[in-house]
Amino acid sequence: MERENGANEQNVDIPEYERNCFPGKMDSPLFAWPWDNLGIFKYLLYGPFVAKFLHSTVWEGTQRDRRWCTHILILCSLRGLIHQLWSSYSNMLFLNRNRRVSQLGIDFKQIDREWDWDNFIILQAFVGSLAYFSFPSLACLPLWNTKGILCCLILHMTVSEPLYYWTHRLMHSHHLFNNYHWLHHSSKVTHPFTAGHATLLEHLILCVIVGVPIIGTTLMGFGSMSMIYLYVLIFDFLRCLGHCNVEIIPHHLFKIFPFLRYVIYTPTYHGLHHKELGTNFCLFMPLYDALGKTMNYHSWDIHKETSSGKNGKVPDFVFLVHVVDMMQAMHVPFLFRSFSSHPFSIMPFLIPLWPFSFLMMLIMWAKSKTFLISFYNLRNRLLLQTWAVPRFGFQYFLPFAKEGINNQIEEAILRADRLGVKVVSLAALNKMLTLSTERFEKIQKEAPMDCQKFLVQVTKYKAAKECKTWIIGKWTTAFEQYWAPSGTSFLQFVVPPIIPFRRDCTYGKLVAMKLPDDVEGLGSCEYQLQRGAVHACHAGGVVHLLEGWSHHEVGAIDVDQIDVVWNAAIKHGLKLL
């Protein structure tokens, strides 16, 4: 209520169409990008720059052309790197979970919509080349010019800032919002990639806003390559900062220097614009919101609360996982958000990163503790988190590492208990469950008569050589699988799944379930499972939470409870894959 009143006190009305028109029109002129249908092949548009560079270097051409193409390619790479680093930081929940502006998660739909966030970098590469051929003075710029840096800053503050402010307000008019700007606001939770998620028209306008200080400074005779690099990269840095959804600017800085609140915006400040569309329109300087009477003055109170580091929420459920291997370790949102939003598979781009993954494994083994990697919501009120034990799969089979792993798991459970977590569920190797002899005999007796003689718990492979159904609860080598007769079915509950060495046998997939339809903020896949699916041990913990059960589920499997748990899962909307 306070935030709504903050907007009303400034006589800023939020139009009804802005609240309810998502999604808007998509067939307006200059809405779509010319290369939308190219997919990943859009990066071939950088080909002319590479070709020109190679031609000028190997065959013939001026050093000026080669230098310009080199600068374009380097600048585009640095811009992509800035956005990627900000994306990684934004998703490092173990560092910033208590300073997030919005506590909602980013779901698969938003990730898919923002997939081509870097279209604007390609666009500005061609616009920069057009400016190069249109303004000859850009061809021979010095490396540094102090006057140019100051001139560029002044032009930005006096021209680009007010130009963006009034253009942005215009974009919130009925026609332009419904035809264009709705796309940017369709992202419920801001993210560094959200900064680039907009229509072609809006980014053409942004090219003008970025170009005015650069071209203006150059025409005055104060241009330099350092000025271009600094201005473009700082511009991207601040855009990512405003959209990162994590408050990093300390509130006491504004207490010491009150004027700064009108000079630089914060993630909280811009986050309010995405919640209350009638306020906080500025580019980077809230001064123009103050002059235009569109500033939400509650921004500072909310900023104080968010930056305090106490903005988090105690989870209701924790799923305690572990890392599978070196490659799977890179399947996390804080590395590549787009990659983690799809089921894990080994991709070529992961291979060069293997040494980095190995180094991180050593660091985690020496220093790291259990950390938060993802979360989602259920029933609009329940917060479910996934914590990772910083150990890789092979370490669970090292005799000297078991004590340390047990200590990690124990500390994680005790910490969850201190926080007030209701349910903690252990995954795969973290629980190492096996069926007791008594329980397995009961399962065998209750099985159909024609299946009982084939259902054997595999503890000694030689003893099970006549069995055609193997229940596998630990890693099984090719030699061990050799003992199985032809036609054997391997039913497994081990992560990672065993390698199918036998062509004459069948291998069951890991049991998994689809989460209820009301799941919110889920944007990463659980290992090799499809979107929205979780392993059985995860699903069991979710059912335990939704049912409100208070008993502990540890030790051997209780066969009597199988139907009870299954019926509860179906009742709450979980579905078997």
Side-chain angles (χ1 to χ4, degrees):
M1 291 300 294
E2 287 184 356
R3 300 182 190 182
E4 294 178 359
N5 292 337
N8 293 334
E9 288 172 3
Q10 303 160 65
N11 298 317
V12 177
D13 296 324
I14 304 174
E16 188 67 25
Y17 68 87
E18 287 189 334
R19 294 193 182 101
N20 301 315
C21 71
F22 305 142
K25 298 179 181 178
M26 301 181 67
D27 56 353
S28 304
L30 298 179
F31 182 95
W33 295 82
W35 48 82
D36 269 348
N37 295 327
L38 294 181
I40 194 172
F41 294 105
K42 70 180 181 180
Y43 295 109
L44 294 177
L45 294 172
Y46 288 112
F49 299 103
V50 177
K52 182 63 176 177
F53 170 78
L54 294 176
H55 182 267
S56 300
T57 302
V58 179
W59 289 281
E60 60 182 7
T62 63
Q63 183 179 2
R64 183 182 66 180
D65 291 343
R66 181 171 69 250
R67 184 189 306 168
W68 179 254
C69 290
T70 303
H71 285 309
I72 287 289
L73 294 173
I74 292 175
L75 197 55
C76 289
S77 300
L78 291 176
R79 300 184 75 180
L81 179 61
I82 286 175
H83 283 77
Q84 177 56 51
L85 292 177
W86 268 109
S87 172
S88 295
Y89 175 74
S90 178
N91 288 315
M92 289 180 178
L93 302 174
F94 52 90
L95 291 179
N96 56 46
R97 64 184 178 277
N98 292 327
R99 290 180 287 110
R100 294 177 62 82
V101 178
S102 172
Q103 292 297 319
L104 299 176
I106 297 177
D107 58 19
F108 294 114
K109 292 182 180 179
Q110 179 173 336
I111 293 174
D112 290 343
R113 282 197 303 267
E114 296 177 349
W115 197 270
D116 293 312
W117 62 270
D118 58 345
N119 278 340
F120 77 98
I121 300 180
I122 300 176
L123 172 66
Q124 292 188 16
F126 284 98
V127 171
S129 298
L130 179 63
Y132 166 74
F133 291 110
S134 302
F135 300 94
S137 54
L138 288 171
C140 300
L141 294 177
L143 180 62
W144 180 267
N145 189 320
T146 304
K147 292 182 180 179
I149 303 295
L150 296 176
C151 182
C152 182
L153 179 61
I154 292 172
L155 286 175
H156 172 83
M157 296 173 64
T158 58
V159 180
S160 293
E161 284 283 349
L163 179 60
Y164 179 89
Y165 172 80
W166 287 109
T167 303
H168 193 183
R169 286 194 66 172
L170 187 62
M171 279 292 170
H172 279 258
S173 63
H174 185 284
H175 178 75
L176 291 178
F177 190 94
N178 198 38
N179 285 274
Y180 297 98
H181 197 49
W182 69 266
L183 182 66
H184 180 69
H185 281 277
S186 64
S187 298
K188 294 181 179 180
V189 183
T190 57
H191 182 273
F193 292 165
T194 308
H197 179 56
T199 62
L200 174 61
L201 174 63
E202 292 174 87
H203 275 295
L204 286 172
I205 296 172
L206 200 61
C207 286
V208 176
I209 293 169
V210 174
V212 166
I214 295 175
I215 301 299
T217 301
T218 303
L219 293 178
M220 293 179 188
F222 303 130
S224 67
M225 292 308 302
S226 300
M227 178 267 295
I228 295 176
Y229 271 83
L230 286 174
Y231 182 71
V232 172
L233 296 181
I234 292 175
F235 192 95
D236 282 354
F237 182 90
L238 292 177
R239 289 261 294 168
C240 290
L241 181 148
H243 288 85
C244 74
N245 194 43
V246 179
E247 191 53 73
I248 65 173
I249 300 179
H251 185 72
H252 65 79
L253 188 63
F254 293 127
K255 284 188 175 182
I256 300 173
F257 306 104
F259 70 92
L260 284 180
R261 66 179 59 183
Y262 298 102
V263 175
I264 185 69
Y265 75 163
T266 67
T268 302
Y269 188 91
H270 189 71
L272 276 175
H273 170 71
H274 280 257
K275 292 180 180 179
E276 300 178 6
L277 305 182
T279 62
N280 298 1
F281 291 101
C282 76
L283 179 54
F284 306 134
M285 298 178 62
L287 171 65
Y288 290 96
D289 277 311
L291 296 175
K293 297 182 180 180
T294 55
M295 177 183 287
N296 188 326
Y297 288 98
H298 289 288
S299 301
W300 317 120
D301 295 332
I302 300 171
H303 174 264
K304 180 180 180 181
E305 176 185 350
T306 306
S307 63
S308 66
K310 301 178 181 179
N311 203 34
K313 180 185 175 184
V314 175
D316 300 282
F317 166 82
V318 167
F319 183 49
L320 197 60
V321 301
H322 63 84
V323 189
V324 177
D325 53 37
M326 298 296 171
M327 290 297 186
Q328 188 272 334
M330 292 178 272
H331 190 245
V332 287
F334 58 81
L335 191 58
F336 300 113
R337 185 184 77 163
S338 57
F339 179 53
S340 70
S341 68
H342 286 277
F344 172 75
S345 61
I346 297 178
M347 306 294 287
F349 74 89
L350 295 178
I351 297 175
L353 297 176
W354 192 94
F356 172 76
S357 180
F358 181 79
L359 177 62
M360 292 307 299
M361 183 271 293
L362 296 178
I363 294 175
M364 288 195 299
W365 199 350
K367 295 289 185 182
S368 182
K369 295 183 178 181
T370 302
F371 58 94
L372 169 65
I373 58 173
S374 65
F375 72 94
Y376 60 92
N377 295 92
L378 278 177
R379 305 294 191 264
N380 294 318
R381 57 182 178 83
L382 298 174
L383 175 61
L384 297 89
Q385 294 182 346
T386 297
W387 296 3
V389 175
R391 294 296 183 269
F392 288 61
F394 76 92
Q395 293 172 308
Y396 283 76
F397 300 96
L398 301 177
F400 59 85
K402 290 185 177 180
E403 183 179 353
I405 294 174
N406 287 333
N407 290 337
Q408 288 275 355
I409 296 173
E410 182 180 350
E411 289 177 7
I413 294 174
L414 292 176
R415 184 172 63 137
D417 185 60
R418 289 193 299 269
L419 289 174
V421 177
K422 298 176 183 177
V423 177
V424 177
S425 184
L426 303 183
L429 299 177
N430 285 335
K431 56 186 178 183
M432 293 278 196
L433 288 181
T434 57
L435 293 175
S436 66
T437 302
E438 295 80 8
R439 290 295 180 185
F440 188 84
E441 288 177 353
K442 186 173 182 179
I443 294 177
Q444 191 180 42
K445 290 178 180 179
E446 293 179 355
M449 292 297 296
D450 57 343
C451 296
Q452 289 183 7
K453 62 180 179 179
F454 297 112
L455 190 60
V456 178
Q457 184 180 20
V458 178
T459 55
K460 294 182 179 180
Y461 299 99
K462 294 182 180 180
K465 61 183 179 180
E466 301 299 328
C467 169
K468 287 197 172 183
T469 301
W470 284 31
I471 299 178
I472 305 295
K474 66 178 183 178
W475 184 257
T476 306
T477 65
F479 177 76
E480 292 165 338
Q481 294 180 35
Y482 164 77
W483 292 102
S486 179
T488 295
S489 296
F490 292 95
L491 308 179
Q492 53 184 315
F493 56 101
V494 57
V495 176
I498 60 176
I499 299 175
F501 291 106
R502 296 282 300 274
R503 294 185 177 181
D504 58 341
C505 298
T506 58
Y507 294 79
K509 295 182 179 180
L510 294 177
V511 180
M513 300 196 76
K514 191 89 171 179
L515 288 171
D517 294 335
D518 63 349
V519 62
E520 295 179 313
L522 181 61
S524 60
C525 291
E526 194 165 284
Y527 195 38
Q528 297 176 333
L529 299 181
Q530 68 184 54
R531 289 180 167 185
V534 295
H535 290 101
C537 43
H538 187 156
V542 173
V543 173
H544 199 107
L545 172 68
L546 295 177
E547 281 292 305
W549 290 332
S550 58
H551 63 275
H552 294 292
E553 294 183 349
V554 294
I557 296 174
D558 187 351
V559 179
D560 296 331
Q561 291 298 310
I562 292 178
D563 288 339
V564 175
V565 176
W566 174 257
N567 292 331
I570 300 302
K571 179 183 70 174
H572 288 291
L574 283 85
K575 304 172 184 177
L576 189 65
L577 294 182

